Amino acid sequence: MTHTQEPRQATRRHAPRSRRTGSTDPDHGKDWSTWPTYDAAELGLRNYWYPIMWAEQVGQKPVPIELLGERIVLVRDHDEIYALHDRCPHRGVPLSLGRRQYDGTISCPYHGWTYRLDSGRMCAALTDGPESPINNRVSVSTYPVEQRLGLVWVYVGDEEAPPVERDIPRELLDHDFVMGGRWDIREGNWRFAAENGFDEGHAKYLHNTALWRLFKVMPAWNVTRVVEEDGWLIRVQDEVHWEAEFPELGTWTNKRWWKRMPLPDAPGKGKNINPVIAGLNIPGFVSFRLPGLLRVAYPQFIHYEWYVPVNEDQVRYVQIMVRYEEGLKAGAFKAKYLGAIRWLFHGQFTGQDAWMVDVMDAPPEKLYRPDLSLTAIRRHIEQVAPTVQVDRTPGSKRTRKPAAREMS
Amino acid sequence: MNPRLVVRVLIVLALLALLPVVVQKVLLRLTGTVVREERRSR
């Protein structure tokens, strides 16, 4: 299966729509009106860089993508990759279907309107002659693009793009490492995916059947709090319980005779910690930061996953695993990643998450104690107050404006 | 030394050297998977 295919036209509508009743009911589980910015962020957050796909996957042939509900075409011209709005203003035909008629340009397949990749300016309407009065008077939007970690990063925003490094964890910029990764388009809103990643309670139950955890015990339940450090929300385990007695039901535990004993409850604790990871001084394994990045730091490696909004109903799920090793150990990691991790952790394990995100139907919802990790994200978004994406599709019937909804 | 043998050996060595690249390209094509090293300090 190729992963360069773009998402099918979304036909489903996930549950967030069900809360568009404008209710002011104080019952917080009924809708997300307690977190209006979060509630409005169905299409994602503007003014951030987002990883899209591997740079090697963008060639001379234009690649259509959807990002925050915006249709974008990626094109490579020599070493540079460009991103343009994927719609010829003439008759609305996707430029991604077009031809590379001349160096540094892309031409609409319909009438040959030819756009410069760097500026988006239509420099020649090929079927109207060199003196066409419309030449150089039309343009399409362009998007800042960078290549880092082997990935293409696209900035969607209204402000001047900051350095892409702002949106990449520092430990991925300052050190040598070896990494393996994959991306795919998954069903479900990006907020469900992000919440699922940071969800305190689910791994102990959902993932206890994952092959990745076949030989490792997971706790039965934890007492958790969330702290904020340098823009990261970090889950800190105050108590870890490996088994519990439920009256009239029996014992609940993930312990099995064939499973190894638990991980330390923070990446800096325990023995045999990679010095780079120990140096991060993270008080808990799992961290989250905007616009939608999860970091799970184990003693010897770190797993990252980005939840990149495609549209209301789909999320681009980019996952990488990083090990701070060189030489033979780096080679061994590559083999292990291709032979096992890609299929077990970045396959079946996160596939279980994809399953839940796809079938989730909330709000309404009834939260329990471990869901403080979810509400921490929501509260964080309200505090940061990022710019929320609204539907910018020309002629779209999906005209959502958060302010208007709040007034209803 | 037989020049034809030398040429054959060189071709085999070149193919072996290309093998990791080919494997990676195939994996990327079929599974969207990449493994790579990042070097900052040199």
Side-chain angles (χ1 to χ4, degrees):
Chain A
M1 181 179 70
T2 175
H3 288 256
T4 56
Q5 288 171 344
E6 269 307 299
R8 61 174 172 69
Q9 189 67 34
T11 53
R12 286 181 326 147
R13 287 290 174 259
H14 272 272
R17 295 179 178 284
S18 65
R19 47 90 179 109
R20 287 197 199 149
T21 56
S23 167
T24 54
D25 191 323
D27 179 358
H28 292 177
K30 187 174 181 182
D31 59 29
W32 287 346
S33 58
T34 310
W35 306 280
T37 308
Y38 183 80
D39 188 25
E42 193 171 28
L43 279 169
L45 306 174
R46 292 179 70 78
N47 303 323
Y48 288 100
W49 288 93
Y50 290 97
I52 304 299
M53 61 177 56
W54 302 109
E56 293 171 55
Q57 293 177 304
V58 182
Q60 287 288 315
K61 190 178 172 190
V63 180
I65 65 160
E66 197 175 356
L67 177 61
L68 278 64
E70 298 193 20
R71 286 161 50 194
I72 296 172
V73 54
L74 299 177
V75 190
R76 178 182 289 281
D77 193 50
H78 304 292
D79 289 339
E80 292 292 319
I81 293 175
Y82 297 92
L84 292 83
H85 183 49
D86 191 14
R87 183 181 186 275
C88 179
H90 179 209
R91 302 301 304 277
V93 168
L95 289 176
S96 54
L97 299 174
R99 298 182 212 159
R100 305 293 310 285
Q101 198 77 42
Y102 303 102
D103 236 17
T105 68
I106 185 169
S107 301
C108 176
Y110 201 8
H111 299 90
W113 286 30
T114 298
Y115 299 85
R116 293 208 181 279
L117 296 176
D118 54 358
S119 65
R121 180 172 289 267
M122 197 276 281
C123 54
L126 297 180
T127 50
D128 195 26
E131 305 303 324
S132 172
I134 202 166
N135 288 350
N136 290 307
R137 291 200 171 173
V138 174
S139 61
V140 293
S141 305
T142 58
Y143 299 78
V145 179
E146 293 284 357
Q147 298 177 54
R148 295 286 188 284
L149 312 176
L151 290 159
V152 180
W153 298 73
V154 175
Y155 179 81
V156 179
D158 315 298
E159 305 161 358
E160 188 177 345
V164 65
E165 286 78 10
R166 184 200 69 176
D167 291 337
I168 299 177
R170 206 170 52 227
E171 66 271 16
L172 294 178
L173 300 168
D174 295 346
H175 302 278
D176 295 347
F177 58 83
V178 57
M179 61 177 266
R182 57 181 297 206
W183 67 269
D184 50 0
I185 304 286
R186 296 183 168 186
E187 298 301 315
N189 188 263
W190 75 275
R191 293 168 301 179
F192 287 159
E195 289 186 342
N196 170 79
F198 201 51
D199 180 307
E200 151 63 28
H202 81 290
K204 302 165 191 64
Y205 198 78
L206 176 69
H207 294 312
N208 72 357
T209 57
L211 292 171
W212 178 250
R213 309 303 300 184
L214 186 61
F215 300 112
K216 295 167 195 160
V217 184
M218 282 188 289
W221 65 286
N222 294 341
V223 175
T224 303
R225 65 194 153 89
V226 175
V227 299
E228 186 180 344
E229 283 183 12
D230 297 331
W232 289 97
L233 300 175
I234 304 169
R235 263 178 24 204
V236 179
Q237 315 295 0
D238 286 331
E239 291 177 30
V240 179
H241 298 268
W242 299 99
E243 51 195 13
E245 281 300 324
F246 286 87
E248 299 178 26
L249 293 177
T251 305
W252 159 242
T253 181
N254 282 312
K255 282 184 179 175
R256 301 290 184 273
W257 64 266
W258 65 85
K259 293 196 176 195
R260 268 197 295 129
M261 243 338 261
L263 297 158
D265 58 359
K269 295 183 184 176
K271 297 173 185 171
N272 196 24
I273 312 294
N274 178 278
V276 174
I277 297 173
L280 295 176
N281 286 319
I282 312 172
F285 272 110
V286 184
S287 334
F288 173 86
R289 84 176 207 192
L290 295 179
L293 165 61
L294 188 81
R295 175 179 67 186
V296 187
Y298 295 87
Q300 287 295 323
F301 55 87
I302 305 183
H303 162 80
Y304 298 87
E305 54 188 50
W306 282 265
Y307 316 106
V308 181
V310 172
N311 51 43
E312 303 98 319
D313 298 308
Q314 292 175 308
V315 57
R316 182 181 295 268
Y317 186 72
V318 180
Q319 47 187 337
I320 65 170
M321 183 175 282
V322 169
R323 230 183 136 106
Y324 294 94
E325 303 285 3
E326 296 178 62
L328 281 178
K329 284 186 174 177
F333 173 79
K334 286 181 187 175
K336 187 176 175 185
Y337 185 84
L338 293 174
I341 298 169
R342 183 249 179 262
W343 310 100
L344 299 182
F345 189 8
H346 286 182
Q348 190 218 9
F349 185 97
T350 62
Q352 292 176 322
D353 294 316
W355 172 39
M356 289 297 106
V357 171
D358 184 23
V359 300
M360 207 178 298
D361 184 12
E365 60 192 6
K366 293 283 184 197
L367 304 183
Y368 76 146
R369 284 190 301 181
D371 290 330
L372 62 85
S373 51
L374 276 56
T375 52
I377 292 179
R378 298 173 185 180
R379 201 176 309 116
H380 183 62
I381 288 180
E382 297 308 318
Q383 286 166 354
V384 174
T387 306
V388 168
Q389 172 78 331
V390 293
D391 194 340
R392 293 161 185 249
T393 312
S396 170
K397 291 171 185 159
R398 300 175 296 172
T399 48
R400 292 201 325 101
K401 290 193 177 166
R405 266 220 340 278
E406 280 169 28
M407 286 187 294
S408 64
Chain B
M1 191 179 287
N2 184 347
R4 292 177 71 175
L5 180 64
V6 172
V7 169
R8 283 179 186 167
V9 168
L10 286 175
I11 289 172
V12 169
L13 287 176
L15 288 174
L16 282 175
L18 281 173
L19 192 59
V21 178
V22 172
V23 168
Q24 289 219 19
K25 293 274 182 204
V26 170
L27 275 167
L28 175 63
R29 187 85 181 168
L30 294 180
T31 69
T33 305
V34 159
V35 287
R36 63 199 307 276
E37 291 182 53
E38 287 282 319
R39 296 273 174 254
R40 306 294 177 203
S41 48
R42 59 212 90 151

